[in-house]
Amino acid sequence: MNIALIAHDAKKELMTEFCIAYCGILSRHTLCATGTTGKIVSEMTGLDIKCYLSGTQGGDQQIGARIACNEIDLLLFFRDPLTAKPEESGEENLLRLCDVHTIPVATNIATAEALIHSLARGDLDWRDIVNPKN
């Protein structure tokens, strides 16, 4: 699966800890991330991560474009709900794209852990359900 990682500044450490904890599962998939998040996670975990621009420079839009082209299967987007962001409309667009293209998305650690465990069990093969081959 193609998994995208995005984390607000206040959540980058949590994203890194999450990726360290689930490195074995994540290493079996293709990862991409916004620039700073990807760089930090890659340095701390050794995971191979395709890094786009930082979020403020348009990295979230680059990931959004991949979602729109059905090139992302899962989004882990650790958001900081306590700090207002000027780019929140961009975040809403990213989440809307996930809804339009039926992409599972986690915006917090609890949901991310539920999705990663489902991924490990093979339960996230949802594209076969949405678009059956028969």
Side-chain angles (χ1 to χ4, degrees):
M1 290 190 105
N2 295 316
I3 301 172
L5 309 173
I6 302 174
H8 286 155
D9 289 344
K11 300 293 182 173
K12 288 190 189 324
E13 184 176 342
L14 180 61
M15 177 66 81
T16 302
E17 292 169 2
F18 176 85
C19 290
I20 289 169
Y22 295 105
C23 190
I25 296 168
L26 293 170
S27 66
R28 296 187 296 251
H29 301 278
T30 303
L31 305 176
C32 68
T34 49
T36 308
T37 298
K39 182 176 186 263
I40 293 169
V41 170
S42 180
E43 287 174 356
M44 297 302 293
T45 63
L47 289 167
D48 183 24
I49 301 173
K50 161 103 172 117
C51 294
Y52 292 103
L53 297 172
S54 69
T56 57
Q57 294 178 335
D60 54 344
Q61 292 175 348
Q62 289 176 299
I63 289 174
R66 291 199 62 205
I67 291 169
C69 293
N70 289 317
E71 296 173 352
I72 297 294
D73 301 305
L74 175 67
L75 173 62
L76 302 178
F77 183 5
F78 288 7
R79 304 189 318 158
D80 175 11
L82 301 178
T83 305
K85 316 269 179 319
E87 69 276 2
E88 280 188 359
S89 65
E91 292 175 16
E92 291 302 316
N93 285 334
L94 192 59
L95 296 174
R96 183 185 58 77
L97 280 170
C98 288
D99 288 342
V100 168
H101 295 279
T102 320
I103 304 300
V105 58
T107 59
N108 59 62
I109 187 75
T111 308
E113 287 188 330
L115 286 176
I116 204 79
H117 287 292
S118 292
L119 181 64
R121 288 189 309 266
D123 295 344
L124 283 183
D125 208 3
W126 56 269
R127 288 192 193 259
D128 290 338
I129 296 168
V130 175
N131 300 310
K133 295 174 184 165
N134 297 332

